[in-house]
Structures are given as structure tokens and as C-alpha cells.
Amino acid sequence: MARDFVPFGLTVCGIEELNGFCEAGVTHVLSILDPGHPEPTAFGSYGEHKRLELRFHDIIDPYMGQSLPQRADVERILAFGRDLLTEPTGVGGLLVHCHAGISRSTAALTMILAQASPDRPAAEAMAAVVGIRHKAWPNLRMIEFADEILERRGELVDAVRARHRSYGRERPDLVQFMIDNGRVREVADLID
């Protein structure tokens, strides 16, 4: 389904999984790390690739002195996505990762796909990401910025909120994790 959006392979993973993709033909990497986290050593085995590295915490509202994702971060992700589609030598494969491969990375890929096919429903972009990474729980703050920038009039936010609801019903432990980590806005309609 993701190939319906872009003409290259897509991978989403966490830091611990990066070594498993050294031979996967990755030509482009979108790397989202916590501030202060060391650069993953796995990239030394990837061969030549282009990489955008961003650093912010996986939060959606101010929380315990952590760094929020900013609109400028989302603008950089979207610019990276646009550049991929116009890459003169082609893209062999895009790997998007964050710490666990669940939230920041899946938000980034969802917005890249929504941008690549603006005429398609945002729910289809979200479904394509879930097809790649079942445990996708996109960061709502990042998606809110992308929805505004891409002028999706709430459609992208609605698609991600629907994902939060469906996966939250499947994984109540994840709902509690979000509550415990200051992300109540993502699970508010799942709380009794």
C-alpha cells in the first residue's frame, strides 16, 4: 500500500533495530533522536546515504523540561520528503527511525505520505504506515503542525486520532503509558 504513495521502499524502526537494515538498500535516512542521545553507530555500516537528523523529545505538550517538536522540525521533515520525490538519481529506500520506532518516526512517515499524495485521504496514508509498522502511534503535536502546513483542515489529525483510538483499545497498557508520560490529549476519548 505504501508503494501507492511513493516510488521507493519504506522502513520504520527503532534504534535497536537499525543494524538489521544495513543490507536493505537504504539510500536516505530520517533520524529523529532525543537531544543528547549519541549518534547510532549502525549508520557506519549503511554505505553511502543521505541523512537528516533532528533532535527533540517524544512529547506533545511541555513536559518536565524536555524539548518539544517544533513547527520548524516538521517543515524540515516535509522538505526532506519533497526532496526525495525529486531526487535526480532516485531513491532506493527511505528508513525513518526514532528511539522506539513508534511515535516520532511514524508521525514523520505519515506526513511524508500525506504530502506525496495530497488528493488521497489522510486515513489511507495512516493505514499505509500501519501496514509498515503495526505499532504506529504517531506523535500528535507533529501531526498537528503537518496538518496545518499541508492545509489538510483537520483530516490528518482525525486520521491519527482514529489510529490512537483503535490501537489504544488493542493496547490499554499503551494508553496508560501515554497518560503517565504527559500525553493525555492523545488518549482523552479512551479514558472513562
Side-chain angles (χ1 to χ4, degrees):
M1 182 173 203
R3 284 280 189 172
D4 296 343
F5 286 86
V6 293
F8 45 82
L10 298 167
T11 301
V12 176
C13 71
I15 292 172
E16 298 299 318
E17 301 164 90
L18 286 172
N19 284 325
F21 296 101
C22 294
E23 304 295 323
V26 171
T27 57
H28 293 74
V29 175
L30 174 53
S31 184
I32 305 173
L33 299 166
D34 291 346
H37 192 281
E39 184 172 318
T41 58
F43 294 126
S45 302
Y46 270 57
E48 188 176 333
H49 64 277
K50 293 183 180 180
R51 184 166 159 233
L52 172 62
E53 180 181 299
L54 299 171
R55 290 186 176 264
F56 50 83
H57 290 102
D58 189 19
I59 56 176
I60 63 169
D61 291 308
Y63 188 71
M64 301 175 88
Q66 295 184 1
S67 301
L68 281 161
Q70 300 297 321
R71 180 185 176 100
D73 297 313
V74 172
E75 289 169 344
R76 289 183 69 195
I77 291 166
L78 292 170
F80 188 71
R82 279 191 307 275
D83 290 348
L84 289 172
L85 293 172
T86 60
E87 184 76 31
T89 58
V91 176
L94 168 64
L95 181 140
V96 183
H97 86 89
C98 58
H99 189 80
I102 296 173
S103 185
R104 290 169 288 182
S105 55
T106 61
L109 187 54
T110 301
M111 67 181 74
I112 287 171
L113 295 183
Q115 175 183 247
S117 294
D119 55 322
R120 296 188 58 186
E124 290 181 12
M126 182 73 258
V129 172
V130 171
I132 295 167
R133 189 75 166 174
H134 178 72
K135 56 185 173 180
W137 184 284
N139 179 293
L140 182 60
R141 180 178 172 92
M142 293 172 65
I143 293 296
E144 289 167 339
F145 285 130
D147 190 282
E148 181 182 317
I149 294 165
L150 297 174
E151 299 178 350
R152 294 303 284 253
R153 295 178 288 286
E155 181 194 21
L156 194 53
V157 169
D158 290 346
V160 167
R161 286 189 173 281
R163 172 60 184 166
H164 291 160
R165 282 191 302 277
S166 68
Y167 197 44
R169 287 186 196 104
E170 186 180 324
R171 294 274 315 275
D173 59 308
L174 194 53
V175 173
Q176 188 60 52
F177 177 85
M178 295 303 168
I179 292 168
D180 293 344
N181 287 279
R183 294 174 68 166
V184 175
R185 285 194 306 121
E186 292 178 334
V187 298
D189 51 351
L190 289 168
I191 301 171
D192 295 330

PDB file of all heavy atoms in Angstrom, residues 136-138 140 159-179 183-192:
ATOM      1  N   ALA A 136       2.443   1.556  15.210  1.00  0.00           N
ATOM      2  CA  ALA A 136       2.455   3.009  14.987  1.00  0.00           C
ATOM      3  C   ALA A 136       1.512   3.726  15.951  1.00  0.00           C
ATOM      4  O   ALA A 136       0.355   3.353  16.107  1.00  0.00           O
ATOM      5  CB  ALA A 136       2.039   3.314  13.541  1.00  0.00           C
ATOM      6  N   TRP A 137       2.052   4.764  16.587  1.00  0.00           N
ATOM      7  CA  TRP A 137       1.285   5.664  17.456  1.00  0.00           C
ATOM      8  C   TRP A 137       1.843   7.066  17.175  1.00  0.00           C
ATOM      9  O   TRP A 137       2.659   7.588  17.932  1.00  0.00           O
ATOM     10  CB  TRP A 137       1.459   5.292  18.920  1.00  0.00           C
ATOM     11  CG  TRP A 137       0.625   6.111  19.854  1.00  0.00           C
ATOM     12  CD1 TRP A 137       0.851   7.402  20.250  1.00  0.00           C
ATOM     13  CD2 TRP A 137      -0.574   5.702  20.501  1.00  0.00           C
ATOM     14  NE1 TRP A 137      -0.136   7.824  21.100  1.00  0.00           N
ATOM     15  CE2 TRP A 137      -1.017   6.795  21.275  1.00  0.00           C
ATOM     16  CE3 TRP A 137      -1.326   4.524  20.499  1.00  0.00           C
ATOM     17  CZ2 TRP A 137      -2.185   6.734  22.050  1.00  0.00           C
ATOM     18  CZ3 TRP A 137      -2.467   4.474  21.273  1.00  0.00           C
ATOM     19  CH2 TRP A 137      -2.890   5.564  22.040  1.00  0.00           C
ATOM     20  N   PRO A 138       1.454   7.704  16.073  1.00  0.00           N
ATOM     21  CA  PRO A 138       2.075   8.970  15.682  1.00  0.00           C
ATOM     22  C   PRO A 138       1.950  10.085  16.718  1.00  0.00           C
ATOM     23  O   PRO A 138       0.904  10.259  17.341  1.00  0.00           O
ATOM     24  CB  PRO A 138       1.329   9.344  14.398  1.00  0.00           C
ATOM     25  CG  PRO A 138       0.845   8.040  13.869  1.00  0.00           C
ATOM     26  CD  PRO A 138       0.502   7.222  15.084  1.00  0.00           C
ATOM     27  N   LEU A 140       1.113  13.326  18.149  1.00  0.00           N
ATOM     28  CA  LEU A 140       0.031  14.230  17.783  1.00  0.00           C
ATOM     29  C   LEU A 140       0.516  15.645  17.509  1.00  0.00           C
ATOM     30  O   LEU A 140       0.046  16.297  16.567  1.00  0.00           O
ATOM     31  CB  LEU A 140      -1.045  14.237  18.877  1.00  0.00           C
ATOM     32  CG  LEU A 140      -2.262  15.114  18.604  1.00  0.00           C
ATOM     33  CD1 LEU A 140      -2.989  14.669  17.340  1.00  0.00           C
ATOM     34  CD2 LEU A 140      -3.195  15.098  19.818  1.00  0.00           C
ATOM     35  N   ALA A 159      -7.289  11.373  11.211  1.00  0.00           N
ATOM     36  CA  ALA A 159      -6.797  10.031  10.876  1.00  0.00           C
ATOM     37  C   ALA A 159      -5.893   9.485  11.978  1.00  0.00           C
ATOM     38  O   ALA A 159      -5.972   8.300  12.335  1.00  0.00           O
ATOM     39  CB  ALA A 159      -6.045  10.066   9.549  1.00  0.00           C
ATOM     40  N   VAL A 160      -5.063  10.342  12.536  1.00  0.00           N
ATOM     41  CA  VAL A 160      -4.160   9.902  13.607  1.00  0.00           C
ATOM     42  C   VAL A 160      -4.932   9.659  14.897  1.00  0.00           C
ATOM     43  O   VAL A 160      -4.670   8.685  15.608  1.00  0.00           O
ATOM     44  CB  VAL A 160      -3.009  10.917  13.783  1.00  0.00           C
ATOM     45  CG1 VAL A 160      -2.252  10.683  15.070  1.00  0.00           C
ATOM     46  CG2 VAL A 160      -2.074  10.822  12.581  1.00  0.00           C
ATOM     47  N   ARG A 161      -5.892  10.504  15.189  1.00  0.00           N
ATOM     48  CA  ARG A 161      -6.715  10.269  16.387  1.00  0.00           C
ATOM     49  C   ARG A 161      -7.482   8.937  16.266  1.00  0.00           C
ATOM     50  O   ARG A 161      -7.625   8.206  17.247  1.00  0.00           O
ATOM     51  CB  ARG A 161      -7.681  11.421  16.618  1.00  0.00           C
ATOM     52  CG  ARG A 161      -6.998  12.663  17.155  1.00  0.00           C
ATOM     53  CD  ARG A 161      -8.048  13.690  17.578  1.00  0.00           C
ATOM     54  NE  ARG A 161      -7.462  14.805  18.233  1.00  0.00           N
ATOM     55  CZ  ARG A 161      -7.063  14.837  19.500  1.00  0.00           C
ATOM     56  NH1 ARG A 161      -7.182  13.766  20.243  1.00  0.00           N
ATOM     57  NH2 ARG A 161      -6.550  15.921  20.028  1.00  0.00           N
ATOM     58  N   ALA A 162      -7.948   8.622  15.070  1.00  0.00           N
ATOM     59  CA  ALA A 162      -8.629   7.340  14.860  1.00  0.00           C
ATOM     60  C   ALA A 162      -7.657   6.187  15.120  1.00  0.00           C
ATOM     61  O   ALA A 162      -8.027   5.159  15.708  1.00  0.00           O
ATOM     62  CB  ALA A 162      -9.210   7.263  13.447  1.00  0.00           C
ATOM     63  N   ARG A 163      -6.413   6.346  14.692  1.00  0.00           N
ATOM     64  CA  ARG A 163      -5.395   5.324  14.959  1.00  0.00           C
ATOM     65  C   ARG A 163      -5.148   5.180  16.454  1.00  0.00           C
ATOM     66  O   ARG A 163      -5.051   4.072  16.978  1.00  0.00           O
ATOM     67  CB  ARG A 163      -4.084   5.664  14.232  1.00  0.00           C
ATOM     68  CG  ARG A 163      -2.928   4.764  14.595  1.00  0.00           C
ATOM     69  CD  ARG A 163      -3.219   3.314  14.271  1.00  0.00           C
ATOM     70  NE  ARG A 163      -2.119   2.457  14.708  1.00  0.00           N
ATOM     71  CZ  ARG A 163      -2.188   1.153  14.801  1.00  0.00           C
ATOM     72  NH1 ARG A 163      -3.295   0.513  14.477  1.00  0.00           N
ATOM     73  NH2 ARG A 163      -1.150   0.450  15.206  1.00  0.00           N
ATOM     74  N   HIS A 164      -5.042   6.301  17.156  1.00  0.00           N
ATOM     75  CA  HIS A 164      -4.842   6.250  18.602  1.00  0.00           C
ATOM     76  C   HIS A 164      -5.991   5.496  19.272  1.00  0.00           C
ATOM     77  O   HIS A 164      -5.761   4.672  20.165  1.00  0.00           O
ATOM     78  CB  HIS A 164      -4.732   7.656  19.188  1.00  0.00           C
ATOM     79  CG  HIS A 164      -3.488   8.379  18.800  1.00  0.00           C
ATOM     80  ND1 HIS A 164      -3.388   9.743  18.888  1.00  0.00           N
ATOM     81  CD2 HIS A 164      -2.294   7.963  18.316  1.00  0.00           C
ATOM     82  CE1 HIS A 164      -2.178  10.130  18.484  1.00  0.00           C
ATOM     83  NE2 HIS A 164      -1.512   9.055  18.133  1.00  0.00           N
ATOM     84  N   ARG A 165      -7.232   5.783  18.844  1.00  0.00           N
ATOM     85  CA  ARG A 165      -8.391   5.097  19.434  1.00  0.00           C
ATOM     86  C   ARG A 165      -8.327   3.596  19.167  1.00  0.00           C
ATOM     87  O   ARG A 165      -8.492   2.789  20.078  1.00  0.00           O
ATOM     88  CB  ARG A 165      -9.705   5.674  18.895  1.00  0.00           C
ATOM     89  CG  ARG A 165     -10.114   6.982  19.525  1.00  0.00           C
ATOM     90  CD  ARG A 165     -11.536   7.377  19.155  1.00  0.00           C
ATOM     91  NE  ARG A 165     -11.752   7.511  17.716  1.00  0.00           N
ATOM     92  CZ  ARG A 165     -11.452   8.600  16.999  1.00  0.00           C
ATOM     93  NH1 ARG A 165     -10.929   9.656  17.599  1.00  0.00           N
ATOM     94  NH2 ARG A 165     -11.700   8.643  15.711  1.00  0.00           N
ATOM     95  N   SER A 166      -8.101   3.218  17.910  1.00  0.00           N
ATOM     96  CA  SER A 166      -8.129   1.781  17.586  1.00  0.00           C
ATOM     97  C   SER A 166      -6.980   1.030  18.249  1.00  0.00           C
ATOM     98  O   SER A 166      -7.185  -0.048  18.821  1.00  0.00           O
ATOM     99  CB  SER A 166      -8.133   1.561  16.072  1.00  0.00           C
ATOM    100  OG  SER A 166      -6.913   1.958  15.493  1.00  0.00           O
ATOM    101  N   TYR A 167      -5.785   1.595  18.206  1.00  0.00           N
ATOM    102  CA  TYR A 167      -4.649   0.901  18.817  1.00  0.00           C
ATOM    103  C   TYR A 167      -4.720   0.965  20.338  1.00  0.00           C
ATOM    104  O   TYR A 167      -4.303   0.036  21.030  1.00  0.00           O
ATOM    105  CB  TYR A 167      -3.337   1.482  18.294  1.00  0.00           C
ATOM    106  CG  TYR A 167      -2.138   0.589  18.529  1.00  0.00           C
ATOM    107  CD1 TYR A 167      -2.196  -0.778  18.280  1.00  0.00           C
ATOM    108  CD2 TYR A 167      -0.938   1.111  18.984  1.00  0.00           C
ATOM    109  CE1 TYR A 167      -1.094  -1.598  18.484  1.00  0.00           C
ATOM    110  CE2 TYR A 167       0.169   0.298  19.196  1.00  0.00           C
ATOM    111  CZ  TYR A 167       0.080  -1.051  18.943  1.00  0.00           C
ATOM    112  OH  TYR A 167       1.168  -1.866  19.149  1.00  0.00           O
ATOM    113  N   GLY A 168      -5.291   2.038  20.860  1.00  0.00           N
ATOM    114  CA  GLY A 168      -5.473   2.152  22.305  1.00  0.00           C
ATOM    115  C   GLY A 168      -6.414   1.099  22.854  1.00  0.00           C
ATOM    116  O   GLY A 168      -6.211   0.570  23.947  1.00  0.00           O
ATOM    117  N   ARG A 169      -7.451   0.765  22.079  1.00  0.00           N
ATOM    118  CA  ARG A 169      -8.359  -0.316  22.502  1.00  0.00           C
ATOM    119  C   ARG A 169      -7.644  -1.665  22.478  1.00  0.00           C
ATOM    120  O   ARG A 169      -7.908  -2.538  23.292  1.00  0.00           O
ATOM    121  CB  ARG A 169      -9.587  -0.341  21.599  1.00  0.00           C
ATOM    122  CG  ARG A 169     -10.524   0.811  21.853  1.00  0.00           C
ATOM    123  CD  ARG A 169     -11.810   0.688  21.041  1.00  0.00           C
ATOM    124  NE  ARG A 169     -12.495   1.951  21.028  1.00  0.00           N
ATOM    125  CZ  ARG A 169     -12.529   2.797  20.002  1.00  0.00           C
ATOM    126  NH1 ARG A 169     -11.943   2.471  18.859  1.00  0.00           N
ATOM    127  NH2 ARG A 169     -13.164   3.947  20.098  1.00  0.00           N
ATOM    128  N   GLU A 170      -6.745  -1.803  21.522  1.00  0.00           N
ATOM    129  CA  GLU A 170      -5.961  -3.045  21.404  1.00  0.00           C
ATOM    130  C   GLU A 170      -4.897  -3.146  22.498  1.00  0.00           C
ATOM    131  O   GLU A 170      -4.589  -4.232  22.971  1.00  0.00           O
ATOM    132  CB  GLU A 170      -5.286  -3.051  20.025  1.00  0.00           C
ATOM    133  CG  GLU A 170      -4.551  -4.287  19.662  1.00  0.00           C
ATOM    134  CD  GLU A 170      -3.926  -4.197  18.276  1.00  0.00           C
ATOM    135  OE1 GLU A 170      -4.522  -3.597  17.361  1.00  0.00           O
ATOM    136  OE2 GLU A 170      -2.812  -4.733  18.112  1.00  0.00           O
ATOM    137  N   ARG A 171      -4.356  -1.994  22.884  1.00  0.00           N
ATOM    138  CA  ARG A 171      -3.239  -1.951  23.847  1.00  0.00           C
ATOM    139  C   ARG A 171      -3.533  -0.978  24.991  1.00  0.00           C
ATOM    140  O   ARG A 171      -2.999   0.131  25.041  1.00  0.00           O
ATOM    141  CB  ARG A 171      -1.963  -1.505  23.133  1.00  0.00           C
ATOM    142  CG  ARG A 171      -1.394  -2.428  22.095  1.00  0.00           C
ATOM    143  CD  ARG A 171      -0.471  -3.482  22.683  1.00  0.00           C
ATOM    144  NE  ARG A 171       0.472  -2.980  23.655  1.00  0.00           N
ATOM    145  CZ  ARG A 171       1.666  -2.435  23.380  1.00  0.00           C
ATOM    146  NH1 ARG A 171       2.078  -2.328  22.143  1.00  0.00           N
ATOM    147  NH2 ARG A 171       2.444  -2.014  24.355  1.00  0.00           N
ATOM    148  N   PRO A 172      -4.399  -1.351  25.943  1.00  0.00           N
ATOM    149  CA  PRO A 172      -4.698  -0.446  27.060  1.00  0.00           C
ATOM    150  C   PRO A 172      -3.460  -0.065  27.864  1.00  0.00           C
ATOM    151  O   PRO A 172      -3.407   1.007  28.469  1.00  0.00           O
ATOM    152  CB  PRO A 172      -5.698  -1.224  27.918  1.00  0.00           C
ATOM    153  CG  PRO A 172      -5.972  -2.501  27.223  1.00  0.00           C
ATOM    154  CD  PRO A 172      -5.148  -2.582  25.987  1.00  0.00           C
ATOM    155  N   ASP A 173      -2.442  -0.929  27.861  1.00  0.00           N
ATOM    156  CA  ASP A 173      -1.198  -0.606  28.571  1.00  0.00           C
ATOM    157  C   ASP A 173      -0.527   0.616  27.944  1.00  0.00           C
ATOM    158  O   ASP A 173       0.084   1.429  28.636  1.00  0.00           O
ATOM    159  CB  ASP A 173      -0.241  -1.795  28.567  1.00  0.00           C
ATOM    160  CG  ASP A 173       0.132  -2.249  27.158  1.00  0.00           C
ATOM    161  OD1 ASP A 173      -0.774  -2.490  26.325  1.00  0.00           O
ATOM    162  OD2 ASP A 173       1.341  -2.359  26.862  1.00  0.00           O
ATOM    163  N   LEU A 174      -0.661   0.756  26.636  1.00  0.00           N
ATOM    164  CA  LEU A 174      -0.085   1.903  25.940  1.00  0.00           C
ATOM    165  C   LEU A 174      -0.840   3.183  26.289  1.00  0.00           C
ATOM    166  O   LEU A 174      -0.242   4.249  26.433  1.00  0.00           O
ATOM    167  CB  LEU A 174      -0.097   1.653  24.428  1.00  0.00           C
ATOM    168  CG  LEU A 174       0.744   2.562  23.553  1.00  0.00           C
ATOM    169  CD1 LEU A 174       2.186   2.637  24.027  1.00  0.00           C
ATOM    170  CD2 LEU A 174       0.682   2.089  22.110  1.00  0.00           C
ATOM    171  N   VAL A 175      -2.147   3.071  26.461  1.00  0.00           N
ATOM    172  CA  VAL A 175      -2.951   4.221  26.894  1.00  0.00           C
ATOM    173  C   VAL A 175      -2.451   4.707  28.252  1.00  0.00           C
ATOM    174  O   VAL A 175      -2.231   5.906  28.451  1.00  0.00           O
ATOM    175  CB  VAL A 175      -4.452   3.865  26.946  1.00  0.00           C
ATOM    176  CG1 VAL A 175      -5.262   5.003  27.566  1.00  0.00           C
ATOM    177  CG2 VAL A 175      -4.967   3.529  25.549  1.00  0.00           C
ATOM    178  N   GLN A 176      -2.227   3.784  29.161  1.00  0.00           N
ATOM    179  CA  GLN A 176      -1.733   4.166  30.487  1.00  0.00           C
ATOM    180  C   GLN A 176      -0.348   4.778  30.394  1.00  0.00           C
ATOM    181  O   GLN A 176      -0.041   5.753  31.078  1.00  0.00           O
ATOM    182  CB  GLN A 176      -1.718   2.954  31.434  1.00  0.00           C
ATOM    183  CG  GLN A 176      -1.407   3.332  32.873  1.00  0.00           C
ATOM    184  CD  GLN A 176      -2.422   4.309  33.453  1.00  0.00           C
ATOM    185  OE1 GLN A 176      -3.620   4.081  33.396  1.00  0.00           O
ATOM    186  NE2 GLN A 176      -1.942   5.432  34.006  1.00  0.00           N
ATOM    187  N   PHE A 177       0.489   4.237  29.525  1.00  0.00           N
ATOM    188  CA  PHE A 177       1.830   4.802  29.318  1.00  0.00           C
ATOM    189  C   PHE A 177       1.717   6.256  28.852  1.00  0.00           C
ATOM    190  O   PHE A 177       2.461   7.123  29.315  1.00  0.00           O
ATOM    191  CB  PHE A 177       2.602   3.964  28.299  1.00  0.00           C
ATOM    192  CG  PHE A 177       3.964   4.513  27.977  1.00  0.00           C
ATOM    193  CD1 PHE A 177       5.052   4.212  28.777  1.00  0.00           C
ATOM    194  CD2 PHE A 177       4.153   5.364  26.880  1.00  0.00           C
ATOM    195  CE1 PHE A 177       6.309   4.730  28.490  1.00  0.00           C
ATOM    196  CE2 PHE A 177       5.395   5.884  26.596  1.00  0.00           C
ATOM    197  CZ  PHE A 177       6.484   5.582  27.394  1.00  0.00           C
ATOM    198  N   MET A 178       0.810   6.531  27.929  1.00  0.00           N
ATOM    199  CA  MET A 178       0.640   7.898  27.423  1.00  0.00           C
ATOM    200  C   MET A 178       0.152   8.827  28.532  1.00  0.00           C
ATOM    201  O   MET A 178       0.620   9.961  28.655  1.00  0.00           O
ATOM    202  CB  MET A 178      -0.318   7.920  26.226  1.00  0.00           C
ATOM    203  CG  MET A 178       0.194   7.181  25.014  1.00  0.00           C
ATOM    204  SD  MET A 178       1.795   7.805  24.443  1.00  0.00           S
ATOM    205  CE  MET A 178       2.273   6.522  23.295  1.00  0.00           C
ATOM    206  N   ILE A 179      -0.764   8.346  29.346  1.00  0.00           N
ATOM    207  CA  ILE A 179      -1.253   9.145  30.480  1.00  0.00           C
ATOM    208  C   ILE A 179      -0.093   9.456  31.429  1.00  0.00           C
ATOM    209  O   ILE A 179       0.111  10.598  31.833  1.00  0.00           O
ATOM    210  CB  ILE A 179      -2.382   8.408  31.225  1.00  0.00           C
ATOM    211  CG1 ILE A 179      -3.626   8.330  30.331  1.00  0.00           C
ATOM    212  CG2 ILE A 179      -2.698   9.089  32.558  1.00  0.00           C
ATOM    213  CD1 ILE A 179      -4.689   7.375  30.839  1.00  0.00           C
ATOM    214  N   ARG A 183       0.865  12.641  27.848  1.00  0.00           N
ATOM    215  CA  ARG A 183       0.266  12.669  26.506  1.00  0.00           C
ATOM    216  C   ARG A 183      -1.231  12.368  26.560  1.00  0.00           C
ATOM    217  O   ARG A 183      -1.782  11.673  25.712  1.00  0.00           O
ATOM    218  CB  ARG A 183       1.011  11.695  25.598  1.00  0.00           C
ATOM    219  CG  ARG A 183       2.449  12.175  25.369  1.00  0.00           C
ATOM    220  CD  ARG A 183       3.291  11.218  24.620  1.00  0.00           C
ATOM    221  NE  ARG A 183       2.873  11.070  23.234  1.00  0.00           N
ATOM    222  CZ  ARG A 183       3.625  10.489  22.302  1.00  0.00           C
ATOM    223  NH1 ARG A 183       4.815  10.022  22.610  1.00  0.00           N
ATOM    224  NH2 ARG A 183       3.190  10.379  21.067  1.00  0.00           N
ATOM    225  N   VAL A 184      -1.886  12.940  27.556  1.00  0.00           N
ATOM    226  CA  VAL A 184      -3.313  12.691  27.785  1.00  0.00           C
ATOM    227  C   VAL A 184      -4.154  13.117  26.590  1.00  0.00           C
ATOM    228  O   VAL A 184      -5.156  12.475  26.264  1.00  0.00           O
ATOM    229  CB  VAL A 184      -3.778  13.388  29.084  1.00  0.00           C
ATOM    230  CG1 VAL A 184      -5.277  13.253  29.276  1.00  0.00           C
ATOM    231  CG2 VAL A 184      -3.036  12.827  30.280  1.00  0.00           C
ATOM    232  N   ARG A 185      -3.764  14.190  25.896  1.00  0.00           N
ATOM    233  CA  ARG A 185      -4.557  14.650  24.740  1.00  0.00           C
ATOM    234  C   ARG A 185      -4.713  13.562  23.684  1.00  0.00           C
ATOM    235  O   ARG A 185      -5.703  13.525  22.966  1.00  0.00           O
ATOM    236  CB  ARG A 185      -3.920  15.876  24.085  1.00  0.00           C
ATOM    237  CG  ARG A 185      -4.096  17.154  24.835  1.00  0.00           C
ATOM    238  CD  ARG A 185      -3.758  18.403  24.031  1.00  0.00           C
ATOM    239  NE  ARG A 185      -2.445  18.407  23.424  1.00  0.00           N
ATOM    240  CZ  ARG A 185      -2.242  18.517  22.109  1.00  0.00           C
ATOM    241  NH1 ARG A 185      -3.231  18.598  21.259  1.00  0.00           N
ATOM    242  NH2 ARG A 185      -0.997  18.539  21.635  1.00  0.00           N
ATOM    243  N   GLU A 186      -3.755  12.659  23.591  1.00  0.00           N
ATOM    244  CA  GLU A 186      -3.847  11.588  22.595  1.00  0.00           C
ATOM    245  C   GLU A 186      -4.822  10.489  22.985  1.00  0.00           C
ATOM    246  O   GLU A 186      -5.267   9.735  22.120  1.00  0.00           O
ATOM    247  CB  GLU A 186      -2.463  10.966  22.357  1.00  0.00           C
ATOM    248  CG  GLU A 186      -1.498  11.892  21.672  1.00  0.00           C
ATOM    249  CD  GLU A 186      -0.122  11.286  21.476  1.00  0.00           C
ATOM    250  OE1 GLU A 186       0.264  10.383  22.250  1.00  0.00           O
ATOM    251  OE2 GLU A 186       0.573  11.725  20.551  1.00  0.00           O
ATOM    252  N   VAL A 187      -5.140  10.389  24.262  1.00  0.00           N
ATOM    253  CA  VAL A 187      -5.972   9.287  24.730  1.00  0.00           C
ATOM    254  C   VAL A 187      -7.219   9.760  25.459  1.00  0.00           C
ATOM    255  O   VAL A 187      -7.946   8.940  26.024  1.00  0.00           O
ATOM    256  CB  VAL A 187      -5.167   8.327  25.644  1.00  0.00           C
ATOM    257  CG1 VAL A 187      -4.020   7.696  24.868  1.00  0.00           C
ATOM    258  CG2 VAL A 187      -4.643   9.028  26.890  1.00  0.00           C
ATOM    259  N   ALA A 188      -7.517  11.051  25.429  1.00  0.00           N
ATOM    260  CA  ALA A 188      -8.615  11.610  26.208  1.00  0.00           C
ATOM    261  C   ALA A 188      -9.940  10.905  25.954  1.00  0.00           C
ATOM    262  O   ALA A 188     -10.714  10.656  26.883  1.00  0.00           O
ATOM    263  CB  ALA A 188      -8.757  13.104  25.941  1.00  0.00           C
ATOM    264  N   ASP A 189     -10.214  10.539  24.700  1.00  0.00           N
ATOM    265  CA  ASP A 189     -11.508   9.886  24.417  1.00  0.00           C
ATOM    266  C   ASP A 189     -11.495   8.385  24.719  1.00  0.00           C
ATOM    267  O   ASP A 189     -12.485   7.701  24.502  1.00  0.00           O
ATOM    268  CB  ASP A 189     -11.957  10.155  22.984  1.00  0.00           C
ATOM    269  CG  ASP A 189     -10.912   9.844  21.939  1.00  0.00           C
ATOM    270  OD1 ASP A 189      -9.755   9.579  22.303  1.00  0.00           O
ATOM    271  OD2 ASP A 189     -11.256   9.874  20.739  1.00  0.00           O
ATOM    272  N   LEU A 190     -10.382   7.878  25.241  1.00  0.00           N
ATOM    273  CA  LEU A 190     -10.303   6.474  25.665  1.00  0.00           C
ATOM    274  C   LEU A 190     -10.374   6.331  27.187  1.00  0.00           C
ATOM    275  O   LEU A 190     -10.407   5.215  27.702  1.00  0.00           O
ATOM    276  CB  LEU A 190      -8.997   5.847  25.173  1.00  0.00           C
ATOM    277  CG  LEU A 190      -8.895   5.605  23.682  1.00  0.00           C
ATOM    278  CD1 LEU A 190      -7.460   5.266  23.298  1.00  0.00           C
ATOM    279  CD2 LEU A 190      -9.827   4.493  23.252  1.00  0.00           C
ATOM    280  N   ILE A 191     -10.377   7.455  27.884  1.00  0.00           N
ATOM    281  CA  ILE A 191     -10.378   7.438  29.347  1.00  0.00           C
ATOM    282  C   ILE A 191     -11.826   7.492  29.823  1.00  0.00           C
ATOM    283  O   ILE A 191     -12.602   8.352  29.412  1.00  0.00           O
ATOM    284  CB  ILE A 191      -9.590   8.632  29.920  1.00  0.00           C
ATOM    285  CG1 ILE A 191      -8.146   8.593  29.425  1.00  0.00           C
ATOM    286  CG2 ILE A 191      -9.643   8.627  31.443  1.00  0.00           C
ATOM    287  CD1 ILE A 191      -7.356   9.842  29.757  1.00  0.00           C
ATOM    288  N   ASP A 192     -12.182   6.538  30.698  1.00  0.00           N
ATOM    289  CA  ASP A 192     -13.554   6.505  31.234  1.00  0.00           C
ATOM    290  C   ASP A 192     -13.776   7.610  32.239  1.00  0.00           C
ATOM    291  O   ASP A 192     -12.994   8.015  32.990  1.00  0.00           O
ATOM    292  CB  ASP A 192     -13.843   5.152  31.890  1.00  0.00           C
ATOM    293  CG  ASP A 192     -13.832   4.029  30.853  1.00  0.00           C
ATOM    294  OD1 ASP A 192     -14.172   4.299  29.697  1.00  0.00           O
ATOM    295  OD2 ASP A 192     -13.482   2.896  31.230  1.00  0.00           O
TER     296      ASP A 192
END
